């Protein structure tokens, strides 16, 4: 008597949402990259429609597919581009190994089109090292030295690496000779010109659609300093820009908002204080009283760090001599 054993193959169907990435970068011209993915996972039925991928087949193979797809999305998020050669490597790569090796490069962020953002001067590299070592960093120096830009790059990098859940960028809304009340629009429209340099830095490092999506969801928050009062800023990379225009009370308020898992970077130029003459700068004050506090880094940038037009460096030098 023969006993026949029938093995039933259990098949599964899964829907996978495609994150906010450039469809052409992911799918390729005439779906060339999608075809490569299908060839690699020939045992699965893969159907892509808009922002969804449906996959049907063996559960173990679907799990492997999902793992490699996560790695592809990570690559796209980090580098903002995906060549067919990149794709072929990623389809057969170990995700953990790829992510570990990526952390070792000197490039802080890959912006739209693969634009590489790096620390370009020794003092900018000191800001990067300080951010990795300490939870509070003061980067002080003249205009054009890349203080804010480097800080925003470190914030975007931390968000991409899932070290923080959100980025908070703030500035004191101090009038530099212009009257805020005469600007048109509601409060947000009046304040946006003060915060525009922060938006500009973000758009150098993330696609416009992603910045807009993050702003809408609160993953990135750009707000005047007054909006920080009463809050605890946790699981966030927080940048206070133009800190020389904070009062001592405002600076105290801001620094004491720090949650247990937050990273704070404070940038400013003590030579460009726009506060009323009798009002002391909070930045100048804390640079003096916190200089010996353990766990805080202070980076002083100079005219040698200027990365704008060569005339900017000469202008700063002339003003410093006159002062």
């Amino acid at each position: 008597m023969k006993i026949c054993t029938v093995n039933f193959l259990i098949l599964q169907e899964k829907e996978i949402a495609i994150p906010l990435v450039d469809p052409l970068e992911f799918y390729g011209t005439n779906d060339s990259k999608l075809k490569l993915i299908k060839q690699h996972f020939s045992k699965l039925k893969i159907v892509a429609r808009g922002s969804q991928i449906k996959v049907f087949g063996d559960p173990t193979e679907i799990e492997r597919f999902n793992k490699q797809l996560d790695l592809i999305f990570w690559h796209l998020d980090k580098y903002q581009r995906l060549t067919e050669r990149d794709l072929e490597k990623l389809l057969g790569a170990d995700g953990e190994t790829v992510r570990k090796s990526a952390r070792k490069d000197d490039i802080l962020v890959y912006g739209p089109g693969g634009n590489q953002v790096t620390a370009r001067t020794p003092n900018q590299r000191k800001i990067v090292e300080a951010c990795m070592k300490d939870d509070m960093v003061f980067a002080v120096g003249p205009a054009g030295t890349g203080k804010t830009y480097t800080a925003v790059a470190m914030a975007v990098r931390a968000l991409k690496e899932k070290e923080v859940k959100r980025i908070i960028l703030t500035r004191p809304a101090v009038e530099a000779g212009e009257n805020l009340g005469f600007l048109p629009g509601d409060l947000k429209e009046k304040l946006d010109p003060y915060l525009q340099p922060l938006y500009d830095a973000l758009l150098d490092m993330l696609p416009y659609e992603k910045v807009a999506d993050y702003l809408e969801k609160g993953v990135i928050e750009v707000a005047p300093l007054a909006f920080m009062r009463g809050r605890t800023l946790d699981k966030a990379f927080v940048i206070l820009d133009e800190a020389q225009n904070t009062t001592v009370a405002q600076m105290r308020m801001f620094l004491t908002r720090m949650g247990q898992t937050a990273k704070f970077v404070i940038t400013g130029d003590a030579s460009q204080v726009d506060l009323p003459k009798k009002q002391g700068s909070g930045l100048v004050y804390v640079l003096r009283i916190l200089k010996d506090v353990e766990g805080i880094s202070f980076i002083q940038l100079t005219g040698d760090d200027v990365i704008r037009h060569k005339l900017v460096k000469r202008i700063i030098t002339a003003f410093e001599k006159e002062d």
Side-chain angles (χ1 to χ4, degrees):
M1 183 178 177
K2 289 184 179 179
I3 299 173
C4 296
T5 305
V6 179
N7 292 322
F8 290 98
L9 183 64
I10 300 169
L11 300 178
Q12 187 182 67
E13 184 177 276
K14 185 171 184 176
E15 282 190 11
I16 301 168
I18 299 172
L20 197 63
V21 296
D22 183 344
L24 188 61
E25 281 292 339
F26 176 64
Y27 289 120
T29 308
N30 298 322
D31 287 345
S32 59
K33 293 173 192 172
L34 181 61
K35 286 170 187 171
L36 274 175
I37 295 170
K38 286 181 176 180
Q39 284 170 17
H40 190 82
F41 292 96
S42 56
K43 294 178 183 177
L44 297 175
K45 183 181 178 182
I46 300 166
V47 179
R49 290 199 182 115
S51 61
Q52 292 278 340
I53 288 181
K54 273 190 180 180
V55 57
F56 182 78
D58 176 60
T60 306
E61 192 71 359
I62 288 176
E63 189 179 338
R64 191 170 74 87
F65 170 77
N66 201 17
K67 211 171 180 180
Q68 297 313 114
L69 204 60
D70 277 346
L71 184 61
I72 292 164
F73 291 146
W74 169 86
H75 179 96
L76 262 171
D77 187 47
K78 181 174 177 65
Y79 299 105
Q80 303 299 320
R81 62 191 309 175
L82 177 71
T83 66
E84 289 190 12
R85 189 176 176 183
D86 291 333
L87 182 58
E88 285 169 355
K89 285 181 180 177
L90 291 167
L91 286 169
D94 174 65
E96 193 175 335
T97 304
V98 171
R99 288 179 175 95
K100 273 184 182 176
S101 62
R103 291 191 193 109
K104 294 174 184 175
D105 64 28
D106 292 329
I107 296 157
L108 304 180
V109 179
Y110 289 82
N115 173 44
Q116 297 179 356
V117 178
T118 60
R120 292 169 59 182
T121 72
N123 282 325
Q124 286 180 11
R125 282 190 284 277
K126 283 182 183 178
I127 295 174
V128 172
E129 290 162 7
C131 286
M132 291 177 174
K133 180 173 70 78
D134 290 324
D135 289 335
M136 185 175 289
V137 177
F138 285 83
V140 183
T145 51
K147 308 178 297 292
T148 304
Y149 199 80
T150 305
V152 173
M154 290 303 292
V156 171
R157 177 175 172 161
L159 185 66
K160 283 175 177 281
E161 296 294 335
K162 295 183 169 50
E163 294 168 9
V164 295
K165 290 188 175 180
R166 56 188 174 142
I167 296 171
I168 299 173
L169 308 173
T170 184
R171 270 186 164 198
V174 173
E175 298 164 1
E178 299 83 12
N179 194 319
L180 183 64
F182 283 97
L183 291 173
D186 58 20
L187 179 61
K188 183 184 181 301
E189 289 166 333
K190 286 175 185 287
L191 291 167
D192 272 353
Y194 289 93
L195 304 170
Q196 191 59 46
L198 300 174
Y199 290 118
D200 291 343
L202 283 171
L203 290 170
D204 267 5
M205 300 170 201
L206 292 167
Y208 176 83
E209 296 78 11
K210 183 154 278 190
V211 173
D213 183 59
Y214 280 164
L215 286 167
E216 186 181 341
K217 292 176 179 174
V219 176
I220 295 177
E221 180 183 348
V222 184
L225 181 60
F227 287 23
M228 300 297 112
R229 190 172 296 279
R231 298 174 61 182
T232 299
L233 306 177
D234 204 5
K235 297 176 183 175
F237 198 114
V238 186
I239 299 171
L240 170 58
D241 192 36
E242 296 289 336
Q244 74 276 4
N245 288 329
T246 60
T247 64
V248 173
Q250 285 174 329
M251 182 62 84
R252 182 174 183 171
M253 175 275 292
F254 172 75
L255 296 181
T256 54
R257 301 304 94 206
M258 192 177 196
Q260 288 190 0
T261 57
K263 184 84 71 174
F264 272 36
V265 179
I266 299 94
T267 68
D269 176 5
S271 70
Q272 290 193 4
V273 178
D274 298 313
L275 293 165
K277 287 184 179 178
K278 292 182 181 179
Q279 185 76 65
S281 167
L283 177 64
V284 174
Y285 181 78
V286 295
L287 289 176
R288 178 171 57 81
I289 69 163
L290 299 181
K291 66 179 186 296
D292 296 321
V293 175
E294 188 181 348
I296 303 178
S297 283
F298 296 90
I299 311 300
Q300 179 66 56
L301 295 99
T302 69
D304 291 334
D305 296 297
V306 171
I307 52 174
R308 291 180 185 168
H309 194 284
K310 59 186 179 183
L311 284 175
V312 175
K313 183 175 177 178
R314 295 172 192 169
I315 290 165
I316 289 168
T317 303
F319 270 97
E320 285 175 348
K321 281 181 182 176
E322 184 62 24
D323 289 341

